[in-house]
Amino acid sequence: MGDLRELYQEVILDHNKCPRNCRRIDNPTCEASGYNPLCGDKITVFLTVSDRIIKDVSFEGSGCAISTASASMMTQALKGKTVDEALKIFGRFHDLVTGKTQGDNSAQENLGKLAVFTGVSKFPVRVKCASLAWHTLKSALDGSSETVTTE
Ligand code: ZN
């Protein structure tokens, strides 16, 4: 388990150092901002959605390693997916970080690389960091213009 945990940490640190899709999209079809006051994480998510398919997704923001890595990996996981698939993945990810799928290996395998956030469930404060990007994404898809806060 020790090696596995180290590997997970490595993935998170790598995405924090070199976040993927960390840029602004010109003329996005939807965008939303999120804020986690507990940690100070701030994020804006941009999306280009057409025919209910996420053609492009990106983010900008500043925050801790967990929130940045989570946003980075989220954009990788969702690009090319349908909106419905994205919401389903969000549900699974949320169950994972809140510990609902603890010990459920198939639930973790379903999430692929996103399973690196399994360990977060042990730290309630970090759950908000890990899920901020996802809540912000959902808000963007819902067309809400209010800033999401995790409080
Ligand atoms: Zn944070």
Side-chain angles (χ1 to χ4, degrees):
M1 204 44 209
D3 289 347
L4 200 58
R5 211 172 298 152
E6 265 168 44
L7 176 76
Y8 281 0
Q9 216 154 39
E10 231 168 77
V11 174
I12 290 173
L13 291 177
D14 173 55
H15 275 268
N16 179 48
K17 220 165 79 187
C18 316
R20 320 303 198 264
N21 303 303
C22 184
R23 57 185 159 80
R24 180 176 280 271
I25 292 176
D26 292 326
N27 305 313
T29 51
C30 38
E31 66 175 278
S33 296
Y35 177 49
N36 173 16
L38 224 54
C39 179
D41 309 316
K42 282 184 192 151
I43 187 173
T44 303
V45 172
F46 306 92
L47 289 141
T48 303
V49 178
S50 104
D51 296 329
R52 302 281 296 165
I53 293 168
I54 297 173
K55 304 274 189 197
D56 200 5
V57 49
S58 72
F59 76 101
E60 271 186 339
S62 60
C64 66
I66 301 273
S67 69
T68 303
S70 174
S72 170
M73 293 179 73
M74 176 185 81
T75 59
Q76 278 196 319
L78 299 188
K79 205 162 168 173
K81 297 280 193 299
T82 66
V83 169
D84 293 336
E85 280 169 337
L87 294 175
K88 241 180 247 171
I89 296 171
F90 172 50
R92 284 195 216 121
F93 182 79
H94 197 259
D95 285 350
L96 179 90
V97 294
T98 52
K100 278 186 199 133
T101 50
Q102 206 165 29
D104 183 345
N105 287 335
S106 68
Q108 292 177 12
E109 275 163 27
N110 258 332
L111 279 166
K113 276 193 200 159
L114 293 171
V116 297
F117 291 98
T118 305
V120 165
S121 65
K122 294 190 200 82
F123 308 95
V125 174
R126 290 297 176 201
V127 172
K128 300 194 179 205
C129 299
S131 54
L132 177 67
W134 292 83
H135 285 295
T136 307
L137 170 100
K138 188 168 184 300
S139 163
L141 291 172
D142 288 344
S144 162
S145 55
E146 264 168 54
T147 298
V148 181
T149 76
T150 51
E151 287 308 291

